């Protein structure tokens, strides 16, 4: 399988190189040159497979030519073996044809574990083969950082630096990052906000002289391997609900458009998904596109669902590429213009085409709490605020009551106690067994000023197992 850039100019890469690449050299994102397409018979034959076995069937075409089957199977078995639930991604029924796919049974209790546990192991495999070391730099407002650190903690050839805004992530989120100790793990608390962290990471990718030749790898969802890993659970859920003979709808709490883009790919690979719902919080740029063809940049609004607090959705460019007949030139023009004006619309017929599959809803903090309360009363389930947004959108936007509607349960409610409390649920949510002593564990973290040169010199002083590069 080869991968091409959404802006049409960067060279095509194989899977191994795309794993280690950040943005393409032309500023675009990598996508597969062509998607595998499975037949109804093939998909039917996968029902009853264990999660890691299904993962092999779905992802094999994407890594073809880079990872031998036996090695890939072993990696997948290890990856999904660390999840705390036997079925890895259990489906829970709330009402007739209403389901939650629980994606929060991984080590850090959010769906990002599905991709980052795999990414860490893939990096380890590829880097050992090449005998190469890399540095990872990432910015986090909470969930990505802990999942990336958990995913990479055992990678011999990786040093990972995660920047988070000092005193602006929840205590559970911070401790999930800072209590993982290792010479190759570096938590940096920046005296600034999330955007400051992200800007420093971006600037470091743009000018890598401080790394003295060591390669810098991205762990945010521009990394293709993350999207790839997320395709699997759409198949897993749909198979249990009667696919491929029956259509299924999904509602997806959305920020950077990574998770839902994986659902879109699953459909293009042959899974009968009849509707995908983009569920956003007040940061609703995607909802404004889906409902009115206006993808216009707004300010950032902090919300009760912080993992969806974004101004622009980086993976949206991957959808634009398909909408424009995979013409990289057109996408480059649109994105250049968006950079200048902060506005983007597509031609009417392209937008109408998008709306055949996608619906959307933006949900306020008050409505999020209302949904948490409502679902708790109806079913006894406590939803986290992100999942609650997905559930509300599922109920408001569904096209058919006759088809199963699956909301992706993206995080465990214990990660977001503030929202649960605001929803008036007095019940104390317990940390899962592997995290019960989280509040007693030793923390390790370096606080740095909001200053790029200080951050870069810290990285070059510690980027080789804690020693200078
Ligand atoms: C990251 C995250 C999201 C948003 O996922 P995207 O792929 O950015 O759309 C939703 N919910 C939770 C809990 C997350 O951590």
């Amino acid at each position: 399988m080869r991968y091409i850039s959404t802006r049409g100019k960067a060279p095509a890469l194989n899977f191994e190189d795309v794993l280690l690449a950040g943005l393409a050299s032309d500023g675009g994102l990598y996508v597969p040159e062509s998607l595998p397409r499975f037949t109804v018979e093939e998909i039917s034959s996968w029902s009853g497979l264990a999660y890691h076995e299904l993962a092999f069937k779905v992802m094999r075409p994407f890594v073809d030519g880079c990872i031998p089957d036996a090695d890939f199977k072993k990696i997948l078995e290890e990856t999904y073996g660390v999840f705390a639930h036997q079925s890895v991604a259990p489906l829970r029924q709330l009402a007739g044809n209403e389901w939650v796919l629980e994606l929060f049974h991984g080590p850090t209790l959010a769906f990002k574990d599905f991709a980052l546990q795999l990414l860490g192991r893939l990096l380890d495999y590829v880097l050992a083969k090449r005998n190469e070391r890399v540095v990872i730099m990432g910015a986090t407002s909470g969930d990505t950082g802990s999942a990336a650190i958990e995913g990479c903690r055992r990678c011999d050839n990786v040093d990972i630096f995660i920047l988070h805004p000092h005193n602006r992530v929840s205590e559970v989120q911070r401790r999930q990052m800072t209590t993982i100790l290792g010479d190759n793990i570096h938590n940096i608390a920046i005296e600034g906000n999330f955007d400051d962290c992200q800007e420093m990471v971006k600037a470091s990718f743009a000018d890598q002289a401080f790394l003295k030749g060591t390669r810098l790898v991205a762990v945010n969802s521009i990394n293709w391997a993350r999207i790839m890993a997320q395709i699997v659970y759409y198949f897993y859920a749909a198979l249990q609900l009667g696919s491929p003979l029956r259509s299924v709808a999904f509602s997806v709490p959305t920020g950077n458009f990574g998770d839902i883009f994986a659902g879109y790919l699953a459909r293009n690979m042959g899974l009968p998904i009849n509707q995908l719902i983009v569920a956003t919080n007040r940061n609703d740029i995607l909802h404004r596109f889906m409902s009115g063809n206006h993808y216009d940049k707004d300010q950032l609004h902090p919300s009760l669902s912080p993992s969806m607090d974004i101004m622009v959705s980086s993976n949206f460019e991957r959808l634009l590429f398909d909408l424009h007949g995979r013409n990289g030139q057109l996408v480059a023009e649109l994105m250049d213009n968006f950079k200048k004006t902060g506005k983007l619309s597509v031609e009417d017929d392209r937008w109408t085409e998008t709306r055949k599959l996608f619906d959307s809803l933006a949900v306020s903090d008050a409505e999020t709490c209302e949904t948490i309360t409502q679902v708790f009363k109806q079913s006894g389930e406590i939803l986290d605020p992100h999942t609650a947004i997905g559930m509300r959108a599922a109920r408001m936007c569904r096209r058919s009551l006759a088809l199963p509607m699956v909301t992706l349960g993206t995080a465990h409610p214990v990660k977001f106690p503030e929202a649960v409390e605001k929803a008036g649920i007095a019940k104390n949510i317990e940390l899962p067994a592997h995290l019960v002593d989280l509040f007693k564990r030793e923390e390790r973290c370096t606080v740095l000023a909001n200053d790029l040169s200080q951050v870069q010199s810290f990285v070059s002083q510690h980027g080789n197992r804690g020693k200078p590069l």
Side-chain angles (χ1 to χ4, degrees), residues 14 24 47 78 107 152 176 182 240 250 265 346 353 378 390 454-455 459 463 466:
N14 66 17
S47 73
E78 273 178 30
C152 297
Q176 282 188 313
Q240 290 174 64
F250 287 91
L265 294 177
V346 302
E353 192 56 35
Q378 288 165 347
Q454 279 191 42
V455 171
V459 174

Side-chain angles (χ1 to χ4, degrees), residues 71-92:
D71 293 350
F72 193 44
K73 280 185 182 165
K74 190 160 160 268
I75 290 171
L76 291 170
E77 198 171 345
E78 273 178 30
T79 299
Y80 297 107
V82 303
F83 280 61
H85 198 287
Q86 205 181 356
S87 91
V88 181
L91 252 184
R92 187 181 288 272

Side-chain angles (χ1 to χ4, degrees), residues 110-112 143 253-259 307-308 384 386 410-411 416:
F111 82 93
K112 293 191 169 72
D143 293 337
T254 305
N256 268 323
F257 205 73
D259 207 4
S307 305
M308 289 159 38
D384 99 286
H386 306 80
T410 52
F416 301 97

Side-chain angles (χ1 to χ4, degrees), residues 68-340:
D69 286 354
D71 293 350
F72 193 44
K73 280 185 182 165
K74 190 160 160 268
I75 290 171
L76 291 170
E77 198 171 345
E78 273 178 30
T79 299
Y80 297 107
V82 303
F83 280 61
H85 198 287
Q86 205 181 356
S87 91
V88 181
L91 252 184
R92 187 181 288 272
Q93 186 166 26
L94 292 193
N97 271 343
E98 186 176 67
W99 305 79
V100 176
L101 182 65
E102 295 186 355
L103 300 173
F104 46 76
H105 296 284
T108 72
L109 314 180
F111 82 93
K112 293 191 169 72
D113 289 326
F114 278 80
L116 285 160
Q117 283 293 318
L118 179 61
L119 182 66
R121 286 170 177 82
L122 289 172
L123 282 176
D124 209 26
Y125 178 86
V126 165
L127 294 172
K129 190 167 81 177
R130 294 185 171 207
N131 193 19
E132 189 183 327
R133 289 191 64 82
V134 300
V135 162
I136 287 175
M137 270 179 90
T140 189
S141 54
D143 293 337
T144 305
S146 56
I149 291 172
E150 271 289 350
C152 297
R153 61 192 293 186
R154 293 185 192 85
C155 298
D156 290 332
N157 296 317
V158 172
D159 270 82
I160 179 163
F161 294 83
I162 296 294
L163 280 56
H164 72 261
H166 189 37
N167 292 333
R168 294 193 199 196
V169 298
S170 80
E171 185 169 6
V172 173
Q173 288 181 321
R174 186 191 74 236
R175 286 182 165 272
Q176 282 188 313
M177 299 190 276
T178 56
T179 59
I180 299 173
L181 311 179
D183 321 338
N184 62 335
I185 294 166
H186 314 276
N187 278 288
I188 304 177
I190 297 291
E191 291 174 324
N193 60 29
F194 171 65
D195 275 331
D196 298 327
C197 298
Q198 199 162 31
E199 280 309 312
M200 286 198 264
V201 171
K202 271 195 196 153
S204 301
F205 272 91
D207 182 0
Q208 305 189 8
F210 71 103
L211 292 163
K212 302 178 179 136
T214 305
R215 192 202 286 260
L216 192 60
V217 168
V219 287
N220 56 7
S221 58
I222 64 165
N223 191 312
W224 163 255
R226 280 189 58 182
I227 306 286
M228 171 185 86
Q230 293 168 1
I231 298 170
V232 178
Y233 46 69
Y234 287 90
F235 278 88
Y236 191 66
L239 274 163
Q240 290 174 64
L241 296 170
S243 277
L245 300 176
R246 189 184 189 203
S247 295
V248 177
F250 287 91
S251 177
V252 186
T254 305
N256 268 323
F257 205 73
D259 207 4
I260 195 163
F261 185 70
Y264 162 84
L265 294 177
R267 173 181 164 274
N268 291 349
M269 289 161 70
L271 194 67
I273 296 177
N274 82 319
Q275 183 187 16
L276 283 170
I277 301 174
V278 173
T280 75
N281 63 23
R282 221 193 125 189
N283 299 285
D284 61 350
I285 186 167
L286 287 167
H287 170 61
R288 282 179 281 124
F289 176 77
M290 293 297 171
S291 58
N293 196 4
H294 291 294
Y295 187 83
D296 298 349
K297 197 166 166 177
D298 184 14
Q299 283 168 310
L300 191 75
H301 305 285
S303 78
L304 286 175
S305 44
S307 305
M308 289 159 38
D309 288 351
I310 47 93
M311 290 192 290
V312 299
S313 300
S314 39
N315 285 292
F316 184 60
E317 182 169 339
R318 288 181 157 124
L319 181 71
L320 284 177
F321 185 57
D322 280 5
L323 278 185
H324 291 81
R326 313 203 104 204
N327 181 332
Q329 171 85 38
L330 283 179
V331 174
E333 282 165 20
L334 274 176
M335 296 312 295
D336 284 344
N337 196 46
F338 179 68
K339 198 170 173 184
K340 280 190 216 116

